[in-house]
Amino acid sequence: MKENRPMILTNHNDLPKNIYKEISRKLYDSPYAITSPDAAFRTTSLINPPLPRTLWNRYRDSDELVIDAKFYLTTLFGDAFHELCCGEDTTEYQYEQKLSLELEHKGKRITLYGTLDEIRVLEDTFILTDNKTCMMRNLGYDTSIQYIQQVNIYQYMWRATNKITENTIIDLRLRYFIKDYTPSSAIHSKVQVSGPIEIVPVALMHDSAIELLLKERLEDHLDTPDRYCTAEERNFGQIKYAVEREGRQRALRVLDSLQEANMWIMQNVKPADQSSVFVQKRTEDLKCKHYCQVVSVCPYAKDKGYAQI
């Protein structure tokens, strides 16, 4: 029988020793009392596709799982930003509130965990804030659906253990730290920002929508744990549509939706030439190539040749 050895953490980018040590420590760190991965979920894992979590739990104690430290570098800086935003709890502010919620799936009890970064109390208003880091260009897109779902699940979990009245107002927010902000870059950016910190409001989801979301996500993870990630999931939902012409190497135009691509053809290509023009769906598997921590053991990544670490 093959002896189990811990996962392998490489350092191909020659990160400083102390940074590498901190990343290594965090690989096995868990802020929650999770004793069995089959009976507990982090909220961030639940709202993401099941395969990465499945492979992580299956291979985390095996040297078949090979991860480079670069995958954790952005997470490390994100954690540092979270720590800087925290402080001592007061009557107005509460920080890093650990949350849990008991769920059930086919008779099996599941515990959901999460951490609410900040709660501010203003009379009958509770401002719940989740901290994020981003690049300036990211603020030019619609807010990530995963971020919206995450902070809404947090407020649902928080309300389950806190007494509130019908007059209570819940205000959800995302606080972004813009990693590449400089005053000069802000002046020339197409995205208007007031400084390195931006606050983005988040719409409150109805309880029934959150409960349906939790039900569907549990079904996805527990009933189809080895399901391959979809093209949208592998690209953070960023699917593009390229208008191509036969015999031409470069696309005529790349757009965000099939409808936009077809409209562009109608408006910019002569009817007699439209037979030689077609729309090609573009996916680049960005998450697989640059962000996925289980790429070395993922069957899809192996087939595509992404698992060469």
Side-chain angles (χ1 to χ4, degrees), residues 154-164 170 207 210:
Y154 284 169
Q155 66 85 17
Y156 180 83
M157 297 168 70
W158 176 78
R159 287 193 295 109
T161 55
N162 288 271
K163 294 181 179 179
I164 60 174
I170 304 294
D207 282 357
I210 297 173

Side-chain angles (χ1 to χ4, degrees), residues 40-240:
F41 281 85
R42 294 189 183 195
T43 301
T44 49
S45 295
L46 186 66
I47 59 180
N48 279 297
L51 186 58
R53 178 181 181 274
T54 299
L55 295 175
W56 176 267
N57 289 331
R58 184 178 297 161
Y59 291 102
R60 63 174 296 181
D61 295 317
S62 164
D63 58 3
E64 293 181 62
L65 180 57
V66 182
I67 307 173
D68 193 73
K70 66 183 178 184
F71 284 117
Y72 273 87
L73 192 56
T74 54
T75 301
L76 198 64
F77 283 104
D79 290 346
F81 173 59
H82 277 73
E83 292 175 9
L84 288 170
C85 290
C86 292
E88 294 185 4
D89 289 353
T90 66
T91 55
E92 183 177 349
Y93 286 96
Q94 298 171 26
Y95 300 100
E96 294 288 308
Q97 296 297 299
K98 295 292 189 292
L99 307 170
S100 65
L101 182 68
E102 295 299 319
L103 303 171
E104 187 174 315
H105 177 71
K106 295 182 178 179
K108 183 178 182 179
R109 299 192 68 80
I110 307 293
T111 304
L112 181 65
Y113 292 96
T115 301
L116 186 54
D117 291 336
E118 180 183 295
I119 304 171
R120 187 180 183 188
V121 183
L122 296 174
E123 297 183 352
D124 290 331
T125 299
F126 290 83
I127 303 173
L128 311 184
T129 301
D130 197 52
N131 296 316
K132 303 291 184 186
T133 61
C134 72
M135 304 298 284
M136 194 180 303
R137 65 176 181 274
N138 298 139
L139 294 174
Y141 301 107
D142 292 337
T143 303
S144 164
I145 184 63
Q146 283 84 8
Y147 288 175
I148 295 172
Q149 292 173 346
Q150 180 185 356
V151 73
N152 267 282
I153 292 173
Y154 284 169
Q155 66 85 17
Y156 180 83
M157 297 168 70
W158 176 78
R159 287 193 295 109
T161 55
N162 288 271
K163 294 181 179 179
I164 60 174
T165 69
E166 60 181 13
N167 296 322
T168 299
I169 299 173
I170 304 294
D171 184 354
L172 302 182
R173 299 180 181 181
L174 295 172
R175 179 190 288 123
Y176 287 100
F177 170 65
I178 307 173
K179 293 180 287 187
D180 59 340
Y181 174 87
T182 63
S184 60
S185 64
I187 292 173
H188 298 98
S189 173
K190 295 180 180 179
V191 181
Q192 291 187 348
V193 295
S194 57
I197 302 290
E198 282 289 311
I199 304 296
V200 177
V202 175
L204 198 65
M205 293 172 60
H206 194 276
D207 282 357
S208 60
I210 297 173
E211 290 161 3
L212 178 61
L213 171 65
L214 293 174
K215 178 178 180 294
E216 291 176 342
R217 298 311 306 139
L218 280 177
E219 289 176 350
D220 192 18
H221 277 267
L222 297 177
D223 295 345
T224 57
D226 290 284
R227 172 182 70 78
Y228 279 18
C229 301
T230 65
E232 286 78 8
E233 290 166 342
R234 296 194 301 270
N235 288 273
F236 302 101
Q238 298 177 20
I239 305 300
K240 300 292 184 180

Side-chain angles (χ1 to χ4, degrees), residues 227-287:
R227 172 182 70 78
Y228 279 18
C229 301
T230 65
E232 286 78 8
E233 290 166 342
R234 296 194 301 270
N235 288 273
F236 302 101
Q238 298 177 20
I239 305 300
K240 300 292 184 180
Y241 294 84
V243 179
E244 310 271 5
R245 186 188 296 276
E246 292 178 0
R248 179 186 169 100
Q249 291 187 343
R250 295 186 62 183
L252 297 173
R253 193 69 179 265
V254 179
L255 297 134
D256 293 330
S257 71
L258 180 60
Q259 182 181 8
E260 289 178 309
N262 288 329
M263 183 63 69
W264 189 90
I265 292 174
M266 293 177 61
Q267 294 176 346
N268 296 276
V269 180
K270 296 178 180 180
D273 298 331
Q274 290 183 6
S275 61
S276 63
V277 174
F278 60 97
V279 177
Q280 182 74 34
K281 188 176 182 180
R282 279 192 178 180
T283 59
E284 298 180 16
D285 291 345
L286 295 174
K287 196 168 186 178

